[in-house]
Amino acid sequence: MDVTLASFEGILIGLATFLIIGIFHPIVIKLEYYFGVCSWWLFLTAGIGGAIGSVLVGNHIVSICLGVFAFSSFWGIHELFEQRERVRKGWFPSNPKRQNKK
């Protein structure tokens, strides 16, 4: 059995997906805390950039990871608004210094 880098592609992509999704959780929480839901456009911009990069990159592992990043960014928009609701329910603290409480 010949073990090459190609043998580990699935594991590498799975690990990258796990890390990308895991990193987005605290980012959503922090952005909602400091800026509120008005920061949704950051996720949109990152998602569009990731999607464009995914199409333009020749390496398929990097392309897949950029695609995962792009759609995690798009999902982050949804989670940002969900986080606002979690704060309203008292599950997460609100930022008393933030003026914009929309």
Side-chain angles (χ1 to χ4, degrees):
M1 183 161 106
D2 185 26
V3 178
T4 63
L5 181 61
S7 303
F8 293 97
E9 287 179 351
I11 296 293
L12 291 173
I13 292 168
L15 177 63
T17 301
F18 176 77
L19 292 173
I20 290 167
I21 292 170
I23 289 169
F24 268 86
H25 179 70
I27 290 173
V28 166
I29 292 169
K30 293 295 184 187
L31 281 176
E32 196 286 326
Y33 184 82
Y34 289 109
F35 303 107
V37 295
C38 65
S39 59
W40 67 268
W41 63 271
L42 293 170
F43 288 107
L44 180 64
T45 304
I48 291 170
I52 291 170
S54 178
V55 172
L56 297 178
V57 169
N59 183 302
H60 72 278
I61 294 176
V62 175
S63 177
I64 291 168
C65 291
L66 283 170
V68 169
F69 172 80
F71 282 90
S72 294
S73 297
F74 296 143
W75 186 254
I77 296 169
H78 168 75
E79 281 301 313
L80 194 60
F81 287 92
E82 290 293 317
Q83 180 66 16
R84 177 177 64 180
E85 293 306 312
R86 291 188 283 265
V87 169
R88 284 185 183 164
K89 291 178 181 178
W91 298 351
F92 283 84
S94 62
N95 184 351
K97 295 179 181 178
R98 195 175 75 226
Q99 298 297 321
N100 184 5
K101 293 282 187 176
K102 292 181 183 177

mmCIF file of all heavy atoms in Angstrom, residues 59-100:
data_model
loop_
_atom_site.group_PDB
_atom_site.id
_atom_site.type_symbol
_atom_site.label_atom_id
_atom_site.label_comp_id
_atom_site.label_asym_id
_atom_site.label_seq_id
_atom_site.Cartn_x
_atom_site.Cartn_y
_atom_site.Cartn_z
ATOM 1 N N ASN A 59 -5.202 24.605 -6.832
ATOM 2 C CA ASN A 59 -5.057 23.473 -5.925
ATOM 3 C C ASN A 59 -6.417 23.105 -5.353
ATOM 4 O O ASN A 59 -7.080 23.938 -4.738
ATOM 5 C CB ASN A 59 -4.089 23.843 -4.808
ATOM 6 C CG ASN A 59 -3.826 22.714 -3.858
ATOM 7 O OD1 ASN A 59 -4.747 22.183 -3.249
ATOM 8 N ND2 ASN A 59 -2.560 22.357 -3.711
ATOM 9 N N HIS A 60 -6.833 21.853 -5.532
ATOM 10 C CA HIS A 60 -8.193 21.512 -5.136
ATOM 11 C C HIS A 60 -8.379 21.448 -3.621
ATOM 12 O O HIS A 60 -9.473 21.718 -3.132
ATOM 13 C CB HIS A 60 -8.687 20.234 -5.826
ATOM 14 C CG HIS A 60 -8.070 18.966 -5.350
ATOM 15 N ND1 HIS A 60 -6.854 18.529 -5.789
ATOM 16 C CD2 HIS A 60 -8.526 18.040 -4.486
ATOM 17 C CE1 HIS A 60 -6.576 17.379 -5.198
ATOM 18 N NE2 HIS A 60 -7.573 17.067 -4.404
ATOM 19 N N ILE A 61 -7.361 21.155 -2.847
ATOM 20 C CA ILE A 61 -7.503 21.175 -1.390
ATOM 21 C C ILE A 61 -7.716 22.610 -0.904
ATOM 22 O O ILE A 61 -8.607 22.881 -0.098
ATOM 23 C CB ILE A 61 -6.276 20.544 -0.695
ATOM 24 C CG1 ILE A 61 -6.202 19.062 -1.020
ATOM 25 C CG2 ILE A 61 -6.337 20.764 0.818
ATOM 26 C CD1 ILE A 61 -4.983 18.369 -0.457
ATOM 27 N N VAL A 62 -6.921 23.526 -1.411
ATOM 28 C CA VAL A 62 -7.071 24.937 -1.043
ATOM 29 C C VAL A 62 -8.422 25.463 -1.540
ATOM 30 O O VAL A 62 -9.114 26.199 -0.827
ATOM 31 C CB VAL A 62 -5.904 25.779 -1.610
ATOM 32 C CG1 VAL A 62 -6.116 27.255 -1.342
ATOM 33 C CG2 VAL A 62 -4.585 25.311 -1.016
ATOM 34 N N SER A 63 -8.826 25.059 -2.729
ATOM 35 C CA SER A 63 -10.108 25.473 -3.274
ATOM 36 C C SER A 63 -11.270 25.006 -2.391
ATOM 37 O O SER A 63 -12.198 25.764 -2.110
ATOM 38 C CB SER A 63 -10.275 24.921 -4.689
ATOM 39 O OG SER A 63 -11.539 25.257 -5.209
ATOM 40 N N ILE A 64 -11.205 23.765 -1.946
ATOM 41 C CA ILE A 64 -12.243 23.234 -1.063
ATOM 42 C C ILE A 64 -12.260 23.993 0.255
ATOM 43 O O ILE A 64 -13.327 24.369 0.759
ATOM 44 C CB ILE A 64 -12.041 21.726 -0.837
ATOM 45 C CG1 ILE A 64 -12.317 20.956 -2.125
ATOM 46 C CG2 ILE A 64 -12.920 21.211 0.305
ATOM 47 C CD1 ILE A 64 -11.865 19.510 -2.095
ATOM 48 N N CYS A 65 -11.100 24.244 0.818
ATOM 49 C CA CYS A 65 -11.026 24.972 2.086
ATOM 50 C C CYS A 65 -11.553 26.399 1.944
ATOM 51 O O CYS A 65 -12.241 26.908 2.837
ATOM 52 C CB CYS A 65 -9.597 24.975 2.618
ATOM 53 S SG CYS A 65 -9.051 23.341 3.163
ATOM 54 N N LEU A 66 -11.267 27.040 0.833
ATOM 55 C CA LEU A 66 -11.814 28.380 0.588
ATOM 56 C C LEU A 66 -13.333 28.326 0.432
ATOM 57 O O LEU A 66 -14.046 29.234 0.880
ATOM 58 C CB LEU A 66 -11.169 29.011 -0.646
ATOM 59 C CG LEU A 66 -9.764 29.551 -0.444
ATOM 60 C CD1 LEU A 66 -9.134 29.927 -1.790
ATOM 61 C CD2 LEU A 66 -9.771 30.743 0.488
ATOM 62 N N GLY A 67 -13.832 27.271 -0.195
ATOM 63 C CA GLY A 67 -15.284 27.098 -0.310
ATOM 64 C C GLY A 67 -15.924 26.909 1.052
ATOM 65 O O GLY A 67 -16.985 27.484 1.342
ATOM 66 N N VAL A 68 -15.300 26.122 1.904
ATOM 67 C CA VAL A 68 -15.810 25.932 3.266
ATOM 68 C C VAL A 68 -15.779 27.262 4.017
ATOM 69 O O VAL A 68 -16.737 27.623 4.705
ATOM 70 C CB VAL A 68 -14.989 24.859 4.013
ATOM 71 C CG1 VAL A 68 -15.325 24.841 5.496
ATOM 72 C CG2 VAL A 68 -15.207 23.487 3.393
ATOM 73 N N PHE A 69 -14.693 28.007 3.859
ATOM 74 C CA PHE A 69 -14.588 29.325 4.485
ATOM 75 C C PHE A 69 -15.691 30.253 3.982
ATOM 76 O O PHE A 69 -16.338 30.949 4.768
ATOM 77 C CB PHE A 69 -13.210 29.941 4.200
ATOM 78 C CG PHE A 69 -13.083 31.359 4.648
ATOM 79 C CD1 PHE A 69 -12.828 31.654 5.976
ATOM 80 C CD2 PHE A 69 -13.239 32.398 3.748
ATOM 81 C CE1 PHE A 69 -12.725 32.970 6.403
ATOM 82 C CE2 PHE A 69 -13.144 33.718 4.161
ATOM 83 C CZ PHE A 69 -12.882 34.007 5.491
ATOM 84 N N ALA A 70 -15.929 30.241 2.667
ATOM 85 C CA ALA A 70 -16.947 31.119 2.084
ATOM 86 C C ALA A 70 -18.325 30.822 2.659
ATOM 87 O O ALA A 70 -19.035 31.737 3.103
ATOM 88 C CB ALA A 70 -16.965 30.964 0.559
ATOM 89 N N PHE A 71 -18.695 29.566 2.670
ATOM 90 C CA PHE A 71 -20.043 29.249 3.130
ATOM 91 C C PHE A 71 -20.166 29.303 4.648
ATOM 92 O O PHE A 71 -21.266 29.541 5.161
ATOM 93 C CB PHE A 71 -20.513 27.922 2.532
ATOM 94 C CG PHE A 71 -20.946 28.122 1.112
ATOM 95 C CD1 PHE A 71 -20.038 27.996 0.077
ATOM 96 C CD2 PHE A 71 -22.235 28.494 0.815
ATOM 97 C CE1 PHE A 71 -20.415 28.216 -1.236
ATOM 98 C CE2 PHE A 71 -22.628 28.719 -0.493
ATOM 99 C CZ PHE A 71 -21.721 28.581 -1.525
ATOM 100 N N SER A 72 -19.062 29.153 5.364
ATOM 101 C CA SER A 72 -19.081 29.405 6.806
ATOM 102 C C SER A 72 -19.289 30.897 7.058
ATOM 103 O O SER A 72 -19.970 31.284 8.014
ATOM 104 C CB SER A 72 -17.779 28.935 7.450
ATOM 105 O OG SER A 72 -17.664 27.541 7.363
ATOM 106 N N SER A 73 -18.727 31.730 6.209
ATOM 107 C CA SER A 73 -18.943 33.176 6.312
ATOM 108 C C SER A 73 -20.396 33.528 6.056
ATOM 109 O O SER A 73 -20.994 34.320 6.785
ATOM 110 C CB SER A 73 -18.049 33.926 5.322
ATOM 111 O OG SER A 73 -16.695 33.720 5.611
ATOM 112 N N PHE A 74 -20.974 32.931 5.023
ATOM 113 C CA PHE A 74 -22.382 33.191 4.728
ATOM 114 C C PHE A 74 -23.264 32.722 5.888
ATOM 115 O O PHE A 74 -24.219 33.398 6.274
ATOM 116 C CB PHE A 74 -22.809 32.514 3.429
ATOM 117 C CG PHE A 74 -22.104 33.044 2.207
ATOM 118 C CD1 PHE A 74 -21.748 32.197 1.176
ATOM 119 C CD2 PHE A 74 -21.784 34.383 2.080
ATOM 120 C CE1 PHE A 74 -21.109 32.667 0.045
ATOM 121 C CE2 PHE A 74 -21.128 34.881 0.958
ATOM 122 C CZ PHE A 74 -20.796 34.012 -0.062
ATOM 123 N N TRP A 75 -22.956 31.575 6.455
ATOM 124 C CA TRP A 75 -23.703 31.070 7.605
ATOM 125 C C TRP A 75 -23.494 31.977 8.819
ATOM 126 O O TRP A 75 -24.387 32.133 9.648
ATOM 127 C CB TRP A 75 -23.295 29.635 7.924
ATOM 128 C CG TRP A 75 -24.135 29.044 9.011
ATOM 129 C CD1 TRP A 75 -23.758 28.819 10.302
ATOM 130 C CD2 TRP A 75 -25.495 28.624 8.908
ATOM 131 N NE1 TRP A 75 -24.800 28.277 11.003
ATOM 132 C CE2 TRP A 75 -25.882 28.150 10.175
ATOM 133 C CE3 TRP A 75 -26.422 28.602 7.871
ATOM 134 C CZ2 TRP A 75 -27.156 27.663 10.434
ATOM 135 C CZ3 TRP A 75 -27.686 28.111 8.132
ATOM 136 C CH2 TRP A 75 -28.049 27.651 9.399
ATOM 137 N N GLY A 76 -22.328 32.616 8.898
ATOM 138 C CA GLY A 76 -22.052 33.549 9.984
ATOM 139 C C GLY A 76 -23.018 34.715 10.010
ATOM 140 O O GLY A 76 -23.335 35.242 11.093
ATOM 141 N N ILE A 77 -23.528 35.119 8.854
ATOM 142 C CA ILE A 77 -24.532 36.190 8.804
ATOM 143 C C ILE A 77 -25.764 35.749 9.574
ATOM 144 O O ILE A 77 -26.291 36.479 10.422
ATOM 145 C CB ILE A 77 -24.888 36.548 7.346
ATOM 146 C CG1 ILE A 77 -23.672 37.123 6.622
ATOM 147 C CG2 ILE A 77 -26.057 37.539 7.314
ATOM 148 C CD1 ILE A 77 -23.861 37.255 5.118
ATOM 149 N N HIS A 78 -26.224 34.545 9.290
ATOM 150 C CA HIS A 78 -27.388 34.000 9.990
ATOM 151 C C HIS A 78 -27.113 33.895 11.491
ATOM 152 O O HIS A 78 -27.947 34.277 12.317
ATOM 153 C CB HIS A 78 -27.742 32.624 9.403
ATOM 154 C CG HIS A 78 -28.712 31.856 10.211
ATOM 155 N ND1 HIS A 78 -30.058 32.160 10.235
ATOM 156 C CD2 HIS A 78 -28.543 30.813 11.047
ATOM 157 C CE1 HIS A 78 -30.671 31.323 11.047
ATOM 158 N NE2 HIS A 78 -29.767 30.493 11.547
ATOM 159 N N GLU A 79 -25.947 33.375 11.845
ATOM 160 C CA GLU A 79 -25.603 33.187 13.249
ATOM 161 C C GLU A 79 -25.466 34.511 13.998
ATOM 162 O O GLU A 79 -25.729 34.571 15.200
ATOM 163 C CB GLU A 79 -24.321 32.370 13.381
ATOM 164 C CG GLU A 79 -24.542 30.900 13.185
ATOM 165 C CD GLU A 79 -25.530 30.312 14.184
ATOM 166 O OE1 GLU A 79 -25.426 30.586 15.393
ATOM 167 O OE2 GLU A 79 -26.409 29.551 13.743
ATOM 168 N N LEU A 80 -25.071 35.563 13.301
ATOM 169 C CA LEU A 80 -24.963 36.875 13.925
ATOM 170 C C LEU A 80 -26.336 37.336 14.422
ATOM 171 O O LEU A 80 -26.483 37.805 15.555
ATOM 172 C CB LEU A 80 -24.389 37.873 12.922
ATOM 173 C CG LEU A 80 -23.893 39.196 13.439
ATOM 174 C CD1 LEU A 80 -22.771 38.994 14.443
ATOM 175 C CD2 LEU A 80 -23.400 40.038 12.279
ATOM 176 N N PHE A 81 -27.356 37.151 13.595
ATOM 177 C CA PHE A 81 -28.708 37.536 13.992
ATOM 178 C C PHE A 81 -29.251 36.582 15.062
ATOM 179 O O PHE A 81 -29.989 37.004 15.962
ATOM 180 C CB PHE A 81 -29.624 37.594 12.767
ATOM 181 C CG PHE A 81 -29.347 38.791 11.911
ATOM 182 C CD1 PHE A 81 -28.447 38.718 10.860
ATOM 183 C CD2 PHE A 81 -29.960 40.003 12.162
ATOM 184 C CE1 PHE A 81 -28.170 39.824 10.075
ATOM 185 C CE2 PHE A 81 -29.694 41.121 11.384
ATOM 186 C CZ PHE A 81 -28.791 41.035 10.333
ATOM 187 N N GLU A 82 -28.879 35.320 14.981
ATOM 188 C CA GLU A 82 -29.260 34.363 16.026
ATOM 189 C C GLU A 82 -28.586 34.726 17.352
ATOM 190 O O GLU A 82 -29.194 34.577 18.414
ATOM 191 C CB GLU A 82 -28.878 32.935 15.618
ATOM 192 C CG GLU A 82 -29.711 32.373 14.494
ATOM 193 C CD GLU A 82 -31.155 32.157 14.887
ATOM 194 O OE1 GLU A 82 -31.409 31.651 15.994
ATOM 195 O OE2 GLU A 82 -32.034 32.516 14.076
ATOM 196 N N GLN A 83 -27.350 35.178 17.278
ATOM 197 C CA GLN A 83 -26.629 35.580 18.487
ATOM 198 C C GLN A 83 -27.322 36.761 19.149
ATOM 199 O O GLN A 83 -27.413 36.822 20.373
ATOM 200 C CB GLN A 83 -25.166 35.915 18.171
ATOM 201 C CG GLN A 83 -24.349 36.329 19.366
ATOM 202 C CD GLN A 83 -24.156 35.231 20.390
ATOM 203 O OE1 GLN A 83 -24.373 34.064 20.110
ATOM 204 N NE2 GLN A 83 -23.746 35.607 21.580
ATOM 205 N N ARG A 84 -27.823 37.668 18.360
ATOM 206 C CA ARG A 84 -28.570 38.807 18.920
ATOM 207 C C ARG A 84 -29.757 38.298 19.735
ATOM 208 O O ARG A 84 -30.035 38.798 20.828
ATOM 209 C CB ARG A 84 -29.042 39.739 17.803
ATOM 210 C CG ARG A 84 -29.884 40.895 18.328
ATOM 211 C CD ARG A 84 -30.288 41.852 17.260
ATOM 212 N NE ARG A 84 -31.152 41.210 16.281
ATOM 213 C CZ ARG A 84 -31.654 41.814 15.219
ATOM 214 N NH1 ARG A 84 -31.337 43.080 14.968
ATOM 215 N NH2 ARG A 84 -32.437 41.179 14.384
ATOM 216 N N GLU A 85 -30.443 37.287 19.215
ATOM 217 C CA GLU A 85 -31.581 36.716 19.939
ATOM 218 C C GLU A 85 -31.122 36.000 21.206
ATOM 219 O O GLU A 85 -31.804 36.065 22.237
ATOM 220 C CB GLU A 85 -32.356 35.753 19.035
ATOM 221 C CG GLU A 85 -33.052 36.453 17.882
ATOM 222 C CD GLU A 85 -33.960 37.591 18.333
ATOM 223 O OE1 GLU A 85 -34.765 37.378 19.274
ATOM 224 O OE2 GLU A 85 -33.842 38.699 17.767
ATOM 225 N N ARG A 86 -29.988 35.325 21.150
ATOM 226 C CA ARG A 86 -29.472 34.659 22.339
ATOM 227 C C ARG A 86 -29.106 35.682 23.424
ATOM 228 O O ARG A 86 -29.312 35.435 24.616
ATOM 229 C CB ARG A 86 -28.262 33.790 21.983
ATOM 230 C CG ARG A 86 -28.626 32.574 21.146
ATOM 231 C CD ARG A 86 -27.465 31.628 20.951
ATOM 232 N NE ARG A 86 -26.498 32.055 19.985
ATOM 233 C CZ ARG A 86 -26.481 31.688 18.698
ATOM 234 N NH1 ARG A 86 -27.405 30.885 18.221
ATOM 235 N NH2 ARG A 86 -25.535 32.118 17.898
ATOM 236 N N VAL A 87 -28.605 36.844 23.006
ATOM 237 C CA VAL A 87 -28.294 37.914 23.956
ATOM 238 C C VAL A 87 -29.589 38.455 24.550
ATOM 239 O O VAL A 87 -29.688 38.659 25.769
ATOM 240 C CB VAL A 87 -27.474 39.037 23.277
ATOM 241 C CG1 VAL A 87 -27.372 40.261 24.172
ATOM 242 C CG2 VAL A 87 -26.089 38.526 22.898
ATOM 243 N N ARG A 88 -30.604 38.658 23.722
ATOM 244 C CA ARG A 88 -31.896 39.153 24.214
ATOM 245 C C ARG A 88 -32.519 38.199 25.230
ATOM 246 O O ARG A 88 -33.183 38.626 26.161
ATOM 247 C CB ARG A 88 -32.859 39.364 23.055
ATOM 248 C CG ARG A 88 -32.580 40.593 22.258
ATOM 249 C CD ARG A 88 -33.625 40.816 21.203
ATOM 250 N NE ARG A 88 -33.287 41.982 20.412
ATOM 251 C CZ ARG A 88 -33.814 42.266 19.246
ATOM 252 N NH1 ARG A 88 -34.721 41.473 18.713
ATOM 253 N NH2 ARG A 88 -33.455 43.351 18.597
ATOM 254 N N LYS A 89 -32.298 36.905 25.047
ATOM 255 C CA LYS A 89 -32.841 35.907 25.971
ATOM 256 C C LYS A 89 -32.006 35.803 27.246
ATOM 257 O O LYS A 89 -32.391 35.114 28.182
ATOM 258 C CB LYS A 89 -32.892 34.537 25.292
ATOM 259 C CG LYS A 89 -33.920 34.459 24.190
ATOM 260 C CD LYS A 89 -33.885 33.096 23.525
ATOM 261 C CE LYS A 89 -34.889 33.025 22.396
ATOM 262 N NZ LYS A 89 -34.839 31.710 21.706
ATOM 263 N N GLY A 90 -30.840 36.454 27.272
ATOM 264 C CA GLY A 90 -29.985 36.427 28.447
ATOM 265 C C GLY A 90 -29.008 35.269 28.481
ATOM 266 O O GLY A 90 -28.361 35.033 29.495
ATOM 267 N N TRP A 91 -28.887 34.549 27.384
ATOM 268 C CA TRP A 91 -27.974 33.406 27.328
ATOM 269 C C TRP A 91 -26.522 33.859 27.193
ATOM 270 O O TRP A 91 -25.612 33.115 27.537
ATOM 271 C CB TRP A 91 -28.337 32.488 26.178
ATOM 272 C CG TRP A 91 -29.694 31.869 26.279
ATOM 273 C CD1 TRP A 91 -30.546 31.915 27.346
ATOM 274 C CD2 TRP A 91 -30.364 31.130 25.267
ATOM 275 N NE1 TRP A 91 -31.701 31.249 27.055
ATOM 276 C CE2 TRP A 91 -31.626 30.748 25.775
ATOM 277 C CE3 TRP A 91 -30.034 30.751 23.978
ATOM 278 C CZ2 TRP A 91 -32.531 30.015 25.048
ATOM 279 C CZ3 TRP A 91 -30.954 30.020 23.244
ATOM 280 C CH2 TRP A 91 -32.177 29.646 23.787
ATOM 281 N N PHE A 92 -26.317 35.057 26.634
ATOM 282 C CA PHE A 92 -24.993 35.647 26.481
ATOM 283 C C PHE A 92 -25.069 37.079 26.985
ATOM 284 O O PHE A 92 -26.128 37.712 26.924
ATOM 285 C CB PHE A 92 -24.553 35.637 25.006
ATOM 286 C CG PHE A 92 -24.098 34.308 24.501
ATOM 287 C CD1 PHE A 92 -25.016 33.374 24.046
ATOM 288 C CD2 PHE A 92 -22.762 33.977 24.479
ATOM 289 C CE1 PHE A 92 -24.620 32.138 23.581
ATOM 290 C CE2 PHE A 92 -22.334 32.741 24.020
ATOM 291 C CZ PHE A 92 -23.263 31.821 23.569
ATOM 292 N N PRO A 93 -23.966 37.635 27.471
ATOM 293 C CA PRO A 93 -24.013 39.002 27.986
ATOM 294 C C PRO A 93 -24.108 40.026 26.858
ATOM 295 O O PRO A 93 -23.596 39.818 25.769
ATOM 296 C CB PRO A 93 -22.682 39.151 28.728
ATOM 297 C CG PRO A 93 -21.771 38.166 28.076
ATOM 298 C CD PRO A 93 -22.636 37.021 27.632
ATOM 299 N N SER A 94 -24.800 41.130 27.170
ATOM 300 C CA SER A 94 -24.826 42.241 26.213
ATOM 301 C C SER A 94 -23.720 43.208 26.584
ATOM 302 O O SER A 94 -23.250 43.239 27.727
ATOM 303 C CB SER A 94 -26.185 42.937 26.233
ATOM 304 O OG SER A 94 -26.424 43.493 27.501
ATOM 305 N N ASN A 95 -23.319 44.015 25.645
ATOM 306 C CA ASN A 95 -22.246 44.978 25.859
ATOM 307 C C ASN A 95 -22.875 46.280 26.350
ATOM 308 O O ASN A 95 -23.536 46.973 25.593
ATOM 309 C CB ASN A 95 -21.472 45.204 24.556
ATOM 310 C CG ASN A 95 -20.298 46.126 24.747
ATOM 311 O OD1 ASN A 95 -20.115 46.734 25.769
ATOM 312 N ND2 ASN A 95 -19.469 46.212 23.710
ATOM 313 N N PRO A 96 -22.673 46.637 27.607
ATOM 314 C CA PRO A 96 -23.293 47.860 28.121
ATOM 315 C C PRO A 96 -22.707 49.133 27.511
ATOM 316 O O PRO A 96 -23.346 50.181 27.543
ATOM 317 C CB PRO A 96 -23.004 47.790 29.628
ATOM 318 C CG PRO A 96 -21.818 46.917 29.750
ATOM 319 C CD PRO A 96 -21.881 45.941 28.606
ATOM 320 N N LYS A 97 -21.507 49.048 26.931
ATOM 321 C CA LYS A 97 -20.866 50.223 26.347
ATOM 322 C C LYS A 97 -21.326 50.498 24.921
ATOM 323 O O LYS A 97 -21.133 51.599 24.424
ATOM 324 C CB LYS A 97 -19.347 50.055 26.348
ATOM 325 C CG LYS A 97 -18.754 49.994 27.728
ATOM 326 C CD LYS A 97 -17.270 49.811 27.680
ATOM 327 C CE LYS A 97 -16.694 49.726 29.070
ATOM 328 N NZ LYS A 97 -15.248 49.512 29.037
ATOM 329 N N ARG A 98 -21.923 49.506 24.264
ATOM 330 C CA ARG A 98 -22.341 49.685 22.880
ATOM 331 C C ARG A 98 -23.603 50.513 22.832
ATOM 332 O O ARG A 98 -24.606 50.204 23.470
ATOM 333 C CB ARG A 98 -22.554 48.329 22.202
ATOM 334 C CG ARG A 98 -22.623 48.458 20.706
ATOM 335 C CD ARG A 98 -22.718 47.132 19.992
ATOM 336 N NE ARG A 98 -24.065 46.602 20.133
ATOM 337 C CZ ARG A 98 -24.354 45.353 20.451
ATOM 338 N NH1 ARG A 98 -23.407 44.478 20.638
ATOM 339 N NH2 ARG A 98 -25.583 44.965 20.574
ATOM 340 N N GLN A 99 -23.573 51.572 22.060
ATOM 341 C CA GLN A 99 -24.720 52.480 21.955
ATOM 342 C C GLN A 99 -25.805 51.915 21.048
ATOM 343 O O GLN A 99 -26.978 52.080 21.287
ATOM 344 C CB GLN A 99 -24.261 53.845 21.417
ATOM 345 C CG GLN A 99 -23.270 54.533 22.324
ATOM 346 C CD GLN A 99 -23.853 54.857 23.684
ATOM 347 O OE1 GLN A 99 -25.003 55.252 23.798
ATOM 348 N NE2 GLN A 99 -23.067 54.662 24.728
ATOM 349 N N ASN A 100 -25.366 51.253 19.965
ATOM 350 C CA ASN A 100 -26.307 50.739 18.969
ATOM 351 C C ASN A 100 -26.848 49.391 19.450
ATOM 352 O O ASN A 100 -26.193 48.383 19.355
ATOM 353 C CB ASN A 100 -25.599 50.585 17.617
ATOM 354 C CG ASN A 100 -26.528 50.160 16.522
ATOM 355 O OD1 ASN A 100 -27.736 50.063 16.717
ATOM 356 N ND2 ASN A 100 -25.982 49.898 15.362
#
